[in-house]
Amino acid sequence: MAYSEKVIEHYQKPQNVGSFGTSSDVKERSDIGVGIVGAPECGDVMQLQIKVDDAGKIEDAKFKCFGCGSAIASSSLATEWIKGRTVDEALAIKNTEIVEELALPPVKIHCSVLAEDSIRTAINDWKKKNGHEVEDDHHHH
Amino acid sequence: MTAQDTTIYFDHASTTPCDQRVVDAMLPYFTSIYGNSSSRNHAYGWEAEEGVDKARSQVAELLGAQPKEIIFTSGATESNNIAIKGAARMYAKAPAGSDNRGHIITAVHEHKAVIDPCRRLEREGFDVTFLEPGADGIITAQMVKDALRDDTILVSIMWANNELGTINEVPCIGKICKEHGAVFHTDATQWVGKLPTDVEADNIDLLSLSAHKMYGPKGIGALYVRRRRPRVRLEAIQDGGGHERGFRSGTLNVSSIVGLGAACAIAKEEMEADGERLKKLRDKLESELMSRLEVVEVNGHRDQRLPHMTNISFGFVEGESLMMGIKNIACSSGSACTSASLEPSYVLKALGVGDELAHSSLRLSLGRHTTEAEVDEAIEGITAAVEHLRAMSPLFDLWKEGVDISKIEWQSH
Ligand SMILES: Cc1ncc(COP(=O)(O)O)c(C=O)c1O
Ligand code: FES
């Protein structure tokens, strides 16, 4: 499979790899939201952790990914995009924007969906921890 | 610049380069000795026929067979089809259109060129047993013995597996088939030219091979068909001019046949030394990777396998991204991800290798021109790629924390 330049760049130099601690470390921290999602299509797994300030702005984001090159690139890109945005702005990011930016082929669309889902799951986790209302999880791609 | 200048070739189980000596033997047959080998009434035909006859003897010699027992085909796929469909239809217990036409034994992790003909025969009224190998990938004589029935007419078990390199108990399986009166076919595509073959001592009735796996040209192969004790008969699947004892009509591909013959002659001389050298390199590759990295598994039996290849899995890294990280090493992945489906290899599944490890497996197969420097470079490259991916693998973290990953319920969408 021929990957786009951008996918290869993210693969070779992924941005914001890491975490703010193990799942149990960050469980009680109200400034951290965690999203772990898996793609049933391929068994790939993405973990996104966000650090959110009192005003609801994402100060920092870290990802880990067990997945294909497109999944790695999608999660790396997602962390770049959400840093500095408010949680509501981050929720507005659509997987189609990731597809476009990385020039993903049709079989790789679910990899971008994984990134979108990890953003929503991490934000919802942060919202629940902070007593905010969580939007309906049902959505369409 | 071609791939050869930038990329190490560790995919010899897929195909091999043509040996220069093979090419040299073939060349005259394109432009000067270009007759049709079945033209009986002029010198052009006779010359071409001489080339074919010599090649037939060279193939026969490598197999311990008689030249008349060698049928030239377009490769192992065609040989398998002629052998399996031809024998089943010839020895059928009931005419076409009826059920219960006879029992066939093969295995789940055969090449598709055996599985699919067997599946077709199932639809034609034959009953097929697909044996499952043990965790070591091997089909034993006992497994075959236990599956034999009164109406078993054909057994087809490959000699060496193309993904694992594991070696089935062919001589013993052949013996059991002989005692039972069933025809025994073996797809020896990966075996011939690597380890010695003797169709008599090994009790083989039908054997398939392909030239391009043994430094010959692509698109040519052979089928060994036993002529004595007992004489094996086949119903031809291609009708025409009656070439190749009627088993395979069509003008012979003389230049490629000459190439196959030359490849067999070279293999006969050199396979022992090649095998010893490559085994050392393969063992170095494996042991270095296993000592540098954690959670590395070799798939299939560790000893009973071909000397030049390994199938090796790296835990907690995903197969496609692993392939992406080793772009300068041409090899096969145990995951079919790259070919549109996201299914892990059915061969590894048959061994009970979990999906994760199956997806992250590499088949590395070395060859006649492989150097130690290439092996060293591959060790460095694979180690670096696995480490790069593990540094971002959430599964590797969990494993290090002692979490049982199989017990986690992922939040899926
Ligand atoms: C075990 C086995 N059988 C059959 C084949 C098919 O060979 P060919 O493509 O030359 O017909 C191959 C090669 O892919 C093989 O490895
Ligand atoms: S995340 Fe499944 S193939 Fe990319």
Side-chain angles (χ1 to χ4, degrees):
Chain A
M1 153 121 25
Y3 282 105
S4 69
E5 285 292 322
K6 281 187 178 148
V7 170
I8 293 169
E9 253 174 60
H10 279 288
Y11 173 87
Q12 284 167 346
K13 290 197 178 59
Q15 303 297 305
N16 306 306
V17 173
S19 68
F20 303 114
T22 65
S23 302
S24 44
D25 288 344
V26 296
K27 199 165 191 162
E28 304 302 328
R29 283 181 61 179
S30 63
D31 61 332
I32 305 273
V34 180
I36 302 180
V37 291
E41 290 92 338
C42 56
D44 291 358
V45 177
M46 200 178 280
Q47 169 184 307
L48 177 69
Q49 295 188 353
I50 50 171
K51 191 159 178 281
V52 187
D53 70 12
D54 295 338
K57 201 172 93 180
I58 299 171
E59 284 182 330
D60 202 357
K62 297 275 184 207
F63 87 90
K64 290 240 165 176
C65 179
F66 167 88
C68 69
S70 303
I72 292 170
S74 298
S75 32
S76 169
L77 179 67
T79 59
E80 284 186 323
W81 278 358
I82 61 175
K83 272 168 75 168
R85 293 201 196 192
T86 66
V87 290
D88 291 327
E89 285 166 348
L91 278 175
I93 293 172
K94 289 274 155 286
N95 79 290
T96 47
E97 297 168 63
I98 297 174
V99 169
E100 200 170 317
E101 172 71 15
L102 298 175
L104 298 181
V107 289
K108 292 296 175 182
I109 288 175
H110 76 274
C111 321
S112 69
V113 172
L114 205 54
E116 186 190 312
D117 284 351
S118 71
I119 296 174
R120 186 185 9 268
T121 312
I123 291 176
N124 286 346
D125 180 54
W126 173 82
K127 283 186 169 178
K128 278 178 198 152
K129 280 180 177 174
N130 289 275
H132 298 291
E133 199 169 312
V134 172
E135 277 170 46
D136 186 6
D137 252 1
H138 291 285
H139 56 87
H140 303 278
H141 298 293
Chain B
M1 207 162 64
T2 64
Q4 206 178 14
D5 304 315
T6 57
T7 311
I8 296 172
Y9 191 76
F10 276 7
D11 207 12
H12 290 83
S14 179
T15 195
T16 55
C18 226
D19 192 292
Q20 187 60 49
R21 293 165 288 181
V22 169
V23 177
D24 293 343
M26 289 170 70
L27 283 177
Y29 289 87
F30 289 99
T31 46
S32 23
I33 316 176
Y34 52 78
N36 185 326
S37 59
S38 33
S39 297
R40 289 280 143 76
N41 41 11
H42 55 67
Y44 288 86
W46 304 332
E47 267 179 354
E49 193 182 19
E50 263 173 42
V52 171
D53 285 347
K54 181 175 170 200
R56 209 183 290 283
S57 304
Q58 288 168 318
V59 177
E61 245 169 68
L62 184 62
L63 303 181
Q66 300 301 315
K68 278 189 177 157
E69 296 175 311
I70 305 303
I71 306 302
F72 291 114
T73 67
S74 65
T77 301
E78 190 185 349
S79 298
N80 288 345
N81 273 273
I82 295 174
I84 293 169
K85 293 178 193 166
R89 290 171 187 162
M90 177 60 74
Y91 295 99
K93 302 261 183 213
S98 42
D99 285 337
N100 302 320
R101 297 182 68 199
H103 179 230
I104 297 166
I105 299 172
T106 183
V108 292
H109 63 329
E110 291 281 323
H111 192 273
K112 291 285 183 203
V114 167
I115 305 261
D116 287 357
C118 288
R119 289 244 176 269
R120 183 177 299 280
L121 291 170
E122 261 182 331
R123 296 194 294 274
E124 289 180 11
F126 294 89
D127 193 13
V128 183
T129 298
F130 291 91
L131 295 175
E132 296 194 12
D136 60 9
I138 287 167
I139 298 293
T140 65
Q142 191 62 44
M143 291 176 189
V144 173
K145 195 169 186 177
D146 292 343
L148 281 172
R149 306 193 320 213
D150 288 344
D151 64 339
T152 305
I153 52 176
L154 172 67
V155 175
S156 178
I157 297 293
M158 71 200 321
W159 207 326
N161 183 275
N162 49 299
E163 282 192 35
L164 305 164
T166 48
I167 296 167
N168 295 320
E169 293 179 3
V170 161
C172 299
I173 294 171
K175 185 154 175 274
I176 284 168
C177 293
K178 186 171 245 155
E179 287 162 7
H180 194 78
V183 173
F184 177 50
H185 166 252
T186 187
D187 176 351
T189 310
Q190 297 288 343
W191 169 277
V192 169
K194 308 297 188 313
L195 289 163
T197 305
D198 180 345
V199 288
E200 290 306 327
D202 300 331
N203 308 303
I204 293 161
D205 294 323
L206 296 163
L207 176 149
S208 304
L209 63 88
S210 234
H212 71 101
K213 307 282 188 187
M214 44 190 289
Y215 309 94
K218 295 171 185 50
I220 189 77
L223 176 65
Y224 159 78
V225 184
R226 173 173 290 282
R227 263 168 65 94
R228 293 181 311 145
R229 288 176 296 127
R231 182 187 187 91
V232 173
R233 296 183 311 143
L234 300 172
E235 190 181 298
I237 56 178
Q238 176 161 303
D239 301 317
H243 306 75
E244 300 298 276
R245 290 167 57 205
F247 290 135
R248 207 275 189 173
S249 286
T251 297
L252 273 61
N253 181 352
V254 178
S255 54
S256 293
I257 288 169
V258 167
L260 168 59
C264 286
I266 295 168
K268 193 165 194 310
E269 290 307 311
E270 301 185 358
M271 66 182 168
E272 195 179 340
D274 274 349
E276 276 172 25
R277 189 181 75 88
L278 294 178
K279 183 173 186 305
K280 284 201 190 92
L281 293 180
R282 190 273 313 269
D283 289 348
K284 176 176 186 185
L285 181 64
E286 262 177 8
S287 61
E288 281 294 317
L289 290 172
M290 294 181 88
S291 69
R292 289 173 193 219
L293 295 163
E294 300 170 89
V295 207
V296 178
E297 300 269 352
V298 171
N299 298 307
H301 199 285
R302 285 301 292 274
D303 303 315
Q304 201 170 316
R305 61 178 168 147
L306 297 173
H308 63 288
M309 64 191 269
T310 179
N311 186 308
I312 191 164
S313 292
F314 304 89
F316 315 112
V317 299
E318 189 276 335
E320 197 187 317
S321 54
L322 178 59
M323 292 301 278
M324 210 175 154
I326 53 169
K327 277 257 144 65
N328 66 327
I329 305 168
C331 63
S332 291
S333 136
S335 140
C337 265
T338 40
S339 54
S341 88
L342 297 162
E343 274 292 290
S345 138
Y346 69 96
V347 171
L348 293 176
K349 264 189 167 170
L351 268 59
V353 175
D355 278 5
E356 290 88 14
L357 279 178
H359 270 306
S360 67
S361 81
L362 299 179
R363 179 188 70 179
L364 302 163
S365 45
L366 317 184
R368 193 174 278 165
H369 307 289
T370 301
T371 63
E372 182 154 13
E374 287 176 322
V375 170
D376 291 339
E377 198 181 328
I379 292 165
E380 297 300 332
I382 294 169
T383 305
V386 171
E387 283 173 345
H388 175 66
L389 292 169
R390 282 184 179 170
M392 55 178 137
S393 169
L395 303 186
F396 191 53
D397 284 350
L398 290 171
W399 176 74
K400 279 190 297 186
E401 287 165 27
V403 178
D404 182 352
I405 294 165
S406 64
K407 299 238 161 68
I408 294 179
E409 272 190 44
W410 300 106
Q411 188 167 359
S412 77
H413 52 280

